[in-house]
């Protein structure tokens, strides 16, 4: 009997249809991985080279000047690089945190409350996703300049708070993760809107909020055009604009190229650390068992 069962199982395995595209999807993914990781690998290797080795050795041959490059970067103009790093953490951390809070509350409201104009607001948000941020940079500068905020930290922070795509993600996630029956049970127990949001909705939306926070943090961290337009004092620059000024100066001072490459490498470390730290919050089925049938 066991032999017969094994033969039937083997026959079923042999009858499974082959993948129509073969190894093509895997090959495409591998090419994408190489395309993304090759520049990072080059930066990692180039940051180890001294000024003499950068232009005289093979592209992926490691050098001996990493510690000297780090020391030169830290000493450049009295440590202005670390000020740029701090500014970037303020812009990215503060902007992503505020944007996540606004998006979570807005998405929960659009998903779980019925009110006049709800669909219109949601459609406007969908339309806002289609508008490139580049188009809004100049109007935002004119607006902040008219109220005297151009050149300040707020001119970079405030435009990042309201993000249509993040609100859309929060709305979709809230609609799927928060059962209506759970909210109704809370209302029967006497919970108000604020208590339901704080004790029921936000804990269930945590994985989605982490995703929104990471998307916004990375987007603000890598943002160049908005701070480049808004800011004029290099003491308020983020890393993107600060490294750009080094690159522009490197045309006349080639010795700065080592600092630029080393600075680019150091700027990757907080992003990697953030992803590794917050990865544990990406859990599924948080609401499993919350409502018993």
């Amino acid at each position: 009997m066991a032999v017969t069962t094994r033969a039937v199982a083997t026959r079923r395995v042999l009858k499974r249809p082959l993948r129509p595209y073969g190894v093509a999807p895997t090959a495409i993914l591998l090419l994408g991985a190489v395309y993304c990781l090759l520049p990072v690998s080059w930066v990692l290797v180039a940051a180890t080279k001294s000024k003499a080795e950068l232009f005289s050795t093979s592209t992926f041959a490691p050098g001996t000047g990493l510690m000297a490059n780090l020391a030169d970067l830290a000493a450049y103009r009295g440590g202005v690089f670390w000020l740029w790093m701090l500014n970037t953490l303020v812009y990215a951390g503060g902007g992503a945190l505020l944007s996540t809070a606004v998006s979570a509350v807005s998405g929960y409201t659009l998903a779980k409350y019925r009110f006049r104009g709800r669909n219109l607001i949601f459609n406007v948000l969908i339309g806002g996703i289609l508008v490139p941020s580049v188009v809004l940079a100049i109007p935002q500068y004119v607006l902040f300049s008219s109220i005297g905020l151009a050149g300040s930290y707020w001119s970079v922070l405030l435009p990042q708070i309201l993000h249509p795509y993040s609100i859309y993600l929060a709305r979709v996630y809230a609609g799927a993760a928060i059962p209506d029956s759970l909210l109704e049970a809370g209302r029967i127990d006497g919970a108000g809107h604020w208590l339901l949001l704080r004790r029921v909705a936000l804990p269930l939306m945590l994985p989605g909020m982490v995703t929104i926070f990471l998307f916004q943090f990375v987007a603000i961290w890598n943002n160049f055009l908005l701070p480049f337009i808004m800011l004029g004092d290099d003491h308020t620059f983020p890393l993107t604009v600060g490294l750009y000024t080094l690159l522009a100066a490197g045309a006349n001072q080639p010795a700065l190229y080592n600092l630029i490459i080393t600075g680019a490498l150091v700027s990757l470390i907080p992003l990697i650390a953030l992803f590794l730290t917050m990865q544990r919050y990406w859990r599924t089925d948080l609401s499993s068992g919350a409502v018993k049938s």
Side-chain angles (χ1 to χ4, degrees):
M1 184 65 180
V3 175
T4 303
T5 304
R6 190 179 301 111
V8 172
T10 304
R11 200 175 298 115
R12 288 177 179 174
V13 171
L14 293 176
K15 288 182 178 180
R16 289 178 182 173
L18 296 175
R19 291 185 300 175
Y21 300 106
V23 297
T26 303
I28 293 173
L29 289 175
L30 288 175
L31 287 175
V34 171
Y35 177 79
C36 294
L37 294 177
L38 191 63
V40 178
S41 304
W42 178 84
V43 169
L44 180 62
V45 173
T48 65
K49 298 182 179 183
S50 64
K51 296 179 180 64
E53 294 170 336
L54 184 61
F55 298 104
S56 61
T57 60
S58 177
T59 303
F60 286 99
T64 59
L66 176 61
M67 300 310 297
N69 291 337
L70 290 173
D72 292 342
L73 181 66
Y76 178 73
R77 291 184 51 196
V80 71
F81 175 83
W82 303 114
L83 179 60
W84 295 339
M85 176 76 79
L86 179 61
N87 291 337
T88 309
L89 287 173
V90 171
Y91 294 137
L97 193 62
L98 292 173
S99 179
T100 302
V102 171
S103 299
V105 174
S106 303
Y108 166 72
T109 303
L110 290 171
K112 294 301 176 180
Y113 287 90
R114 303 293 182 266
F115 54 90
R116 183 176 298 178
R118 184 182 71 133
N119 291 332
L120 176 62
I121 294 174
F122 184 68
N123 290 333
V124 170
L125 286 173
I126 296 297
I129 296 174
L130 303 178
V131 179
S133 58
V134 176
V135 176
L136 301 176
I138 299 300
Q140 286 171 346
Y141 173 78
V142 174
L143 175 63
F144 281 101
S145 179
S146 65
I147 60 177
L149 289 180
S152 67
Y153 286 92
W154 292 109
S155 63
V156 178
L157 269 175
L158 292 179
Q160 314 287 349
I161 295 176
L162 189 63
H163 193 253
Y165 185 66
S166 297
I167 297 176
Y168 169 76
L169 286 180
R171 193 252 190 195
V172 172
Y173 193 88
I178 305 172
D180 292 332
S181 54
L182 189 61
L183 296 176
E184 189 61 31
R187 293 188 183 100
I188 293 174
D189 289 339
H193 298 300
W194 171 248
L195 188 60
L196 287 174
L197 174 66
R198 186 164 52 92
R199 294 292 183 87
V200 178
L202 293 183
L204 292 175
M205 292 177 65
L206 184 59
M209 292 169 61
V210 170
T211 302
I212 292 171
F213 178 85
L214 288 175
F215 281 169
Q216 279 296 88
F217 189 94
V218 173
I220 300 172
W221 186 278
N222 294 327
N223 193 7
F224 170 77
L225 183 62
L226 182 66
F228 180 74
I229 292 175
M230 290 288 185
L231 304 175
D233 184 2
D234 62 353
H235 288 86
T236 60
F237 284 173
L239 281 172
T240 51
V241 181
L243 291 177
Y244 171 78
T245 60
L246 279 179
L247 183 62
N252 299 320
Q253 304 177 56
L256 292 178
Y257 285 132
N258 288 80
L259 302 187
I260 300 167
I261 296 171
T262 307
L265 176 64
V266 174
S267 69
L268 295 176
I269 296 175
L271 295 179
I272 296 173
L274 180 69
F275 271 89
L276 293 178
T277 302
M278 305 194 74
Q279 197 175 27
R280 62 191 182 94
Y281 290 101
W282 284 341
R283 299 187 299 267
T284 57
D285 296 332
L286 280 184
S287 60
S288 177
V291 182
K292 296 183 180 180
S293 56

